[in-house]
Amino acid sequence: MKEKRTFEAKKRYKKAVRLLENCRLQNEEEEKRQKAVLLKLYTNLCIASNQLGEFKQAITFSRLALGYDPGNTKALYALGKAKLNLGDFVEARTVLVRAQHLQPGNADIVNLLRKLDQQQKAIELDEKELYRRMMGRNSASQPAKSFSTTPTESSTFQEMKAKLVKFRDDGETTKLLIPVSSFRDSQLEMLKEIAATLSLKVSQSDVGSEKHLRISK
């Protein structure tokens, strides 16, 4: 019921935006009022999009809102939340830190930054366990604190996982083809392991003369 109300509200906001953007303004005062209302509408649209799980749209609407007011903390928070949900941790942190600087006491921003920290730590643990399995190590006899990865390996892992999470959560895309030649053998094994943890299927497919990994749901 709540989702339906949010969906209907979003439709009303979009209709209001279309009407405002097409109306003829008489003077600067009317233009000023129009911008203020559009800012509010775009902010509401990015919040509603996040609530509906439409994170790409949330990013679009939050940026439109920030075009009217770069310091709007509601839009910055919504942008950071959408980025976080899409696995773009670096950009999410940049936006949320900016929002926190503008409103240091905002509990929502503080809590989302805490959630971001928790998710990054969880990924680091997943990453260590994945490398441990790939290298044939026994996790029972090899403590996590004695295992480390290079910044390049860590970045590669996060990029691969973010891409596969994005594919998994995309309701329209059913398969993902990845050229085998683009990766080293160790990276391909990493990719297969990540796919398995996300309950994705992996098979090999030939496209022309080139071999691909076929990722499906």
Side-chain angles (χ1 to χ4, degrees):
M1 182 64 71
K2 183 178 179 181
E3 183 176 345
K4 183 177 180 180
R5 288 198 299 268
T6 302
F7 179 78
E8 292 300 327
K10 185 178 176 182
K11 285 174 61 177
R12 292 195 298 271
Y13 299 147
K14 291 174 76 172
K15 182 178 179 180
V17 165
R18 287 195 298 270
L19 290 172
L20 272 175
E21 289 182 337
N22 292 326
C23 70
R24 300 178 64 181
L25 305 175
Q26 301 298 321
N27 50 53
E28 290 185 4
E29 183 62 30
E30 286 189 358
E31 183 178 350
K32 184 178 179 180
R33 289 201 298 269
Q34 181 204 46
K35 289 180 178 179
V37 176
L38 283 171
L39 169 61
K40 187 173 182 179
L41 287 168
Y42 281 130
T43 302
N44 287 340
L45 278 165
C46 63
I47 292 171
S49 296
N50 269 332
Q51 291 173 345
L52 293 169
E54 298 169 346
F55 303 121
K56 289 182 180 179
Q57 289 190 32
I59 290 171
T60 297
F61 290 129
S62 59
R63 284 177 172 162
L64 287 168
L66 292 168
Y68 289 104
D69 179 11
N72 187 287
T73 52
K74 287 185 178 180
L76 286 169
Y77 174 84
L79 177 57
K81 187 174 184 178
K83 288 288 186 178
L84 173 59
N85 279 293
L86 289 175
D88 189 347
F89 296 146
V90 174
E91 183 66 20
R93 185 175 297 280
T94 299
V95 172
L96 291 171
V97 167
R98 179 180 166 196
Q100 188 180 43
H101 178 74
L102 293 168
Q103 282 193 5
N106 189 302
D108 289 334
I109 297 171
V110 170
N111 290 334
L112 195 57
L113 277 167
R114 187 176 295 120
K115 181 179 179 181
L116 171 58
D117 289 335
Q118 291 171 347
Q119 288 196 14
Q120 283 192 302
K121 287 178 182 177
I123 282 183
E124 288 172 5
L125 291 174
D126 288 345
E127 178 182 340
K128 290 175 181 179
E129 180 61 26
L130 172 59
Y131 274 108
R132 192 173 288 118
R133 291 200 304 269
M134 286 172 57
M135 299 174 73
R137 297 190 178 188
N138 189 327
S139 60
S141 61
Q142 187 70 27
K145 64 180 180 181
S146 66
F147 184 83
S148 63
T149 60
T150 67
T152 300
E153 289 170 334
S154 178
S155 175
T156 300
F157 176 91
Q158 292 186 21
E159 288 174 5
M160 286 182 175
K161 186 164 186 178
K163 184 172 184 177
L164 290 182
V165 168
K166 183 178 179 181
F167 164 69
R168 182 196 64 185
D169 296 339
D170 188 340
E172 297 181 358
T173 308
T174 58
K175 67 178 180 180
L176 182 65
L177 291 177
I178 299 175
V180 170
S181 59
S182 300
F183 298 93
R184 299 191 303 273
D185 289 344
S186 61
Q187 292 175 323
L188 289 172
E189 289 304 313
M190 184 195 305
L191 193 60
K192 292 176 183 178
E193 289 281 358
I194 297 170
T197 64
L198 297 173
S199 300
L200 296 172
K201 301 174 183 177
V202 182
S203 60
Q204 189 164 302
S205 176
D206 294 336
V207 179
S209 59
E210 190 171 9
K211 295 184 181 299
H212 288 68
L213 281 185
R214 177 189 174 102
I215 312 294
S216 57
K217 301 174 184 178

